[in-house]
Amino acid sequence: MQFDPQNIEQKSIYKLLTGIVIPRPIGWISSISEEGITNLAPFSYFNAVGDDPPHIMFSAGHGQNANKDTLNNVLATKQFVVNMVTEELVEQMNSTAQKIPSHESEFDHAGLTPIPSLKIKPPRVKESPIAMECELVHHYTLENSKFGGSTILVGRIVMFHIADNMLLDDFKINLEMYKPIARLAGSNYSKLGELFAVKRN
């Protein structure tokens, strides 16, 4: 079957795209408003985009009537932290996806601990074993949207925070200790599962 995205509903496009592009890593983005209110939300339109210098991206939807707090905060302050989600943090991550008033903090809502970053103002999630402090370098809003659209935000990583037990020799990540989760479609998530290696020729 073939589908022209111009001829199907937005929710159908969403189901197709999030069902096809799997698994997706989750960027748990912490930010802070100009008034000093902390925010924390998960984004599965997220990935690394380069290492020289190191950059990551995530995409934030606008919704029908207003931007998400994360998007407003990052555009205003030009800073954010990517906290990585592990198996132990799934329920708290899911809790931060709920809509709460902008004057409240998802840290409090989910029972998480904000701790200071070293180079930027937004706090990190203490419970997350890996976090990356980022400074916004570029953003681009997708054109010709029907229902609010999305803005892609690219940040330069200015500091890595990695728990000691997550590191092996030569800067390699210990996957047995890390245990990240990934987003699938709907309410489904995945663990790493069986690993295999293919050496390059």
Side-chain angles (χ1 to χ4, degrees):
M1 299 182 73
Q2 294 82 38
F3 301 99
D4 184 337
Q6 294 292 329
N7 299 327
I8 59 176
E9 295 182 355
Q10 183 64 30
K11 64 180 180 180
S12 300
I13 296 173
Y14 175 81
K15 289 178 181 178
L16 288 173
L17 193 60
T18 58
I20 293 168
V21 184
I22 59 173
R24 299 187 305 281
I26 301 169
W28 208 6
I29 308 297
S30 54
S31 61
I32 191 168
S33 71
E34 291 182 299
E35 295 75 29
I37 300 170
T38 57
N39 179 270
L40 181 64
F43 294 84
S44 67
Y45 288 164
F46 158 78
N47 220 310
V49 293
D51 56 70
D52 182 24
H55 284 71
I56 62 90
M57 64 72 61
F58 73 98
S59 178
H62 293 199
Q64 292 282 7
N65 300 312
N67 293 347
K68 290 187 175 182
D69 291 336
T70 300
L71 177 56
N72 286 335
N73 291 348
V74 175
L75 291 179
T77 67
K78 309 292 192 260
Q79 297 178 337
F80 61 94
V81 180
V82 177
N83 306 275
M84 301 308 296
V85 182
T86 60
E87 293 177 18
E88 296 80 8
L89 295 170
V90 172
E91 293 299 329
Q92 289 162 299
M93 176 277 300
N94 190 49
S95 179
T96 64
Q98 299 176 18
K99 292 184 179 180
I100 65 173
S102 295
H103 64 274
E104 298 179 11
S105 173
E106 286 81 1
F107 280 92
D108 297 331
H109 181 70
L112 294 162
T113 310
I115 55 175
S117 296
L118 295 182
K119 291 190 173 184
I120 62 176
K121 289 184 178 180
R124 299 178 284 133
V125 176
K126 180 180 180 181
E127 290 79 5
S128 176
I130 297 178
M132 296 168 281
E133 298 181 26
C134 299
E135 293 182 344
L136 182 68
V137 297
H138 182 68
H139 69 279
Y140 172 75
T141 299
L142 302 180
E143 299 176 347
N144 302 318
S145 66
K146 295 180 180 179
F147 303 100
S150 299
T151 295
I152 299 167
L153 302 116
V154 179
R156 179 173 181 168
I157 300 169
V158 296
M159 183 63 66
F160 290 96
H161 299 269
I162 302 173
D164 291 347
N165 64 343
M166 295 290 156
L167 273 177
L168 300 172
D169 293 339
D170 195 29
F171 294 93
K172 294 179 181 178
I173 300 297
N174 186 336
L175 295 179
E176 292 183 3
M177 296 299 297
Y178 185 12
K179 297 181 180 179
I181 63 162
R183 190 81 161 87
L184 303 177
S187 59
N188 296 313
Y189 294 82
S190 69
K191 301 177 182 179
L192 282 182
E194 182 180 356
L195 304 180
F196 65 95
V198 179
K199 293 185 177 181
R200 295 182 180 179
N201 294 327

